[in-house]
């Protein structure tokens, strides 16, 4: 069974022009070309297209996506990792939706706005108890004050930087890059610099145990599905952990 290019464009929510472009650059070849010149796609091609669109959602460019897909030996494993990330995002977005709905209702009914409920899903406050347990109340207070002190544009820029870093880790892991390679170590350096920019953590505190903190986070990325989802699943998080370990032993 296969589908025409028009059917695939409609089903996938894309355009025939986009699919033709993917064909031209070798990213997604049609399964066959009919006598009338129309491209047709089978189930394997659909699976390939799903991965392309998922990776596009992560912000990856087409050349990087091509590298990722060419180095994937098991599409099902890759999709399971992406599914965990999507479920994490689904939970966060559900909280945002509920927060906005409640705000709209309060405004329409003239009720007092509950500030503590208006921003659920928008920042890291849901981790307050964990942060305080791991690093103390001062750590949470400092990082929360830093976050709340930023305006919308600054928060958006910080989130974009974080998402790009996560996407670059996923791309490197999918290509089979070695943890001690220049590319992986460059990502590890960026990760540590990113951590240093968050007040209240051992990474930002003068004289803090930066090495222990980085190594501990690497282990947490693998052990906690909420964090491993940011790196494409447990396998991707394992790659991040090993790259951070190599970097920490050499530089921290």
């Amino acid at each position: 069974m296969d589908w025409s290019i028009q059917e695939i464009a409609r089903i996938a929510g894309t355009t025939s022009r986009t699919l033709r472009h993917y064909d031209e650059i070798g990213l997604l070849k049609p399964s066959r070309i009919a006598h009338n010149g129309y491209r047709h796609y089978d189930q394997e091609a659909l699976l390939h297209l799903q991965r392309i669109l998922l990776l596009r959602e992560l912000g990856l460019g087409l050349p990087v996506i091509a590298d990722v897909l060419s180095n994937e030996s098991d599409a099902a494993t890759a999709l399971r990792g992406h599914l965990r990330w999507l479920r994490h995002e689904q939970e966060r977005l559900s909280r945002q939706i509920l927060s906005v709905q409640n705000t709209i209702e309060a405004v329409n009914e003239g009720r007092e706005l509950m500030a503590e409920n208006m921003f659920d899903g928008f920042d890291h406050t849901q981790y307050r108890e964990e942060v305080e347990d791991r690093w103390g109340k001062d750590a949470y207070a400092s990082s929360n004050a830093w976050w709340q002190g930023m305006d919308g544009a600054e928060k958006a820029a910080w989130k974009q930087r974080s998402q790009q870093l996560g996407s670059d880790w996923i791309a490197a892991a999918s290509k089979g890059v070695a943890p001690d390679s220049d590319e992986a170590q460059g990502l590890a350096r960026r990760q540590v610099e990113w951590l240093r920019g968050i007040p209240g953590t051992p990474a930002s505190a003068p004289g803090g145990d930066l090495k222990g903190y980085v190594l501990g986070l690497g282990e947490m990325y693998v052990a906690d599905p909420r964090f491993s989802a940011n790196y494409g699943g447990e396998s991707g998080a394992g790659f991040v952990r090993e790259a951070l370990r190599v970097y920490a032993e050499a530089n921290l």
Side-chain angles (χ1 to χ4, degrees), residues 9-114:
R10 177 182 57 81
I11 293 169
T14 184
T15 65
S16 298
R17 179 180 179 182
T18 295
L19 294 174
R20 287 193 295 270
H21 177 62
Y22 288 169
D23 181 12
E24 291 167 0
I25 65 176
L27 186 59
L28 178 67
K29 290 292 185 182
S31 308
R32 68 180 179 91
I33 297 180
H35 62 85
N36 57 7
Y38 283 3
R39 296 167 171 84
H40 286 254
Y41 299 83
D42 62 13
Q43 293 187 58
E44 184 177 353
L46 259 64
L47 178 61
H48 201 72
L49 177 59
Q50 185 185 50
R51 286 292 289 141
I52 291 171
L53 297 180
L54 287 170
L55 291 169
R56 287 290 283 167
E57 286 290 321
L58 287 176
L60 300 184
L62 296 181
V64 175
I65 291 175
D67 286 341
V68 169
L69 295 179
S70 66
N71 285 283
E72 277 185 0
S73 58
D74 185 352
T77 298
L79 284 169
R80 280 194 291 271
H82 204 113
L83 180 59
R84 285 191 291 270
W85 179 85
L86 288 172
R87 283 173 173 161
H88 174 75
E89 283 297 286
Q90 182 184 46
E91 178 186 355
R92 184 180 64 82
L93 289 172
S94 294
R95 295 202 323 273
Q96 284 190 358
I97 290 170
L98 182 60
S99 173
V100 173
Q101 287 177 335
N102 289 338
T103 299
I104 291 173
E105 291 174 3
V107 171
N108 287 341
E109 297 172 10
R111 291 188 281 111
E112 181 179 355
L113 295 177
M114 301 297 291

